[in-house]
Amino acid sequence: GVPAAVRDAAWLDILRLESDLTSEHAKATIDLSTEQGFPSWLALGTLLRGWAFGVQGQVEEGVGQIHDGLAAWRAAGSEVWRSRWLVLLAEALGKGGQVEAGLTAVDEALACVERTEERSYEAELHRLQGALLLQQSPDNHQKADACFHQALKVARRQEAKSWELRAATSLARLWQQQGKTAEACDLLAPVYGWFTEGFETADLQEAKALLEDLA
């Protein structure tokens, strides 16, 4: 139906890191689900809007919206996709400098992955864990390196090229900071080279910029 179509468009916007469009589609999801009486879609719209607020810098509002959405999602009787929603929460918390809370959200999400076997965001969770550990302290570089490697392992096993690109970019950037420029380029270049379209997206632009720096 229309709410599902708008919902799916909002989720695609998140994957493309387009917060303005996510916010628009989240509002449409909320309006339609309120009108038609679908509590789970209302919860979803709230979650999506919270992520958009968070990445746009309205962190307190965004985190609050995500918590509200998580509670409403559970109240609607669904535990499906909980690990996915916790990714949004961890990202928003990290954006606001609440690193420890972000890491707690990631730990909860990884536990949820093992419990439910819903693994679509498993690779991204490991990558996000590594990014948060580095945000917590540069001294966590070995732990972060292990997280990024685990993210790559999962993404490659799942043949999830978008997640592989994010993980490779994060690890290549860490290696660049450690002076391992050649290794970083050798890791990232073939992953980036696999793509034949979508070069306007944030992930591919970030990878391209990093490769240019490495060159």
Side-chain angles (χ1 to χ4, degrees), residues 96-128:
Q98 301 178 48
V99 179
E100 287 74 16
L103 287 167
T104 298
V106 170
D107 287 341
E108 182 182 347
L110 288 170
C112 186
V113 166
E114 294 305 316
R115 185 173 66 252
T116 65
E117 291 294 324
E118 185 199 351
R119 298 187 178 276
S120 58
Y121 270 69
E122 183 180 7
E124 177 64 358
L125 279 165
H126 287 294
R127 189 203 68 81
L128 184 56

Side-chain angles (χ1 to χ4, degrees), residues 39-79:
S40 60
W41 282 335
L42 177 59
L44 177 58
T46 305
L47 286 158
L48 299 175
R49 185 170 62 184
W51 176 85
F53 281 153
V55 299
Q56 290 171 352
Q58 302 176 58
V59 176
E60 184 175 350
E61 177 69 16
V63 169
Q65 291 271 314
I66 294 171
H67 278 302
D68 289 347
L70 281 167
W73 187 257
R74 174 169 284 174
S78 180
E79 282 295 303

Side-chain angles (χ1 to χ4, degrees), residues 64-101:
Q65 291 271 314
I66 294 171
H67 278 302
D68 289 347
L70 281 167
W73 187 257
R74 174 169 284 174
S78 180
E79 282 295 303
V80 178
W81 294 353
R82 183 169 179 80
S83 60
R84 184 180 299 196
W85 311 145
L86 289 166
V87 168
L88 305 188
L89 177 60
E91 287 180 342
L93 288 166
K95 182 77 173 179
Q98 301 178 48
V99 179
E100 287 74 16

Side-chain angles (χ1 to χ4, degrees), residues 90-207:
E91 287 180 342
L93 288 166
K95 182 77 173 179
Q98 301 178 48
V99 179
E100 287 74 16
L103 287 167
T104 298
V106 170
D107 287 341
E108 182 182 347
L110 288 170
C112 186
V113 166
E114 294 305 316
R115 185 173 66 252
T116 65
E117 291 294 324
E118 185 199 351
R119 298 187 178 276
S120 58
Y121 270 69
E122 183 180 7
E124 177 64 358
L125 279 165
H126 287 294
R127 189 203 68 81
L128 184 56
Q129 186 177 46
L132 288 167
L133 284 167
L134 284 177
Q135 186 177 346
Q136 185 181 53
S137 171
D139 293 337
N140 288 333
H141 59 89
Q142 288 184 333
K143 292 180 180 178
D145 189 292
C147 289
F148 296 149
H149 270 99
Q150 183 62 21
L152 279 171
K153 179 181 177 181
V154 172
R156 287 167 176 167
R157 183 178 70 238
Q158 296 177 344
E159 298 183 352
K161 282 295 183 179
S162 292
W163 295 144
E164 184 181 355
L165 179 68
R166 284 194 186 182
T169 300
S170 292
L171 183 55
R173 181 174 291 106
L174 175 60
W175 284 354
Q176 179 194 36
Q177 294 167 356
Q178 296 171 336
K180 297 190 290 187
T181 304
E183 294 93 329
C185 188
D186 289 344
L187 169 69
L188 183 56
V191 184
Y192 178 83
W194 180 89
F195 290 86
T196 59
E197 59 184 352
F199 293 107
E200 77 285 356
T201 61
D203 285 340
L204 282 166
Q205 288 180 355
E206 182 181 358

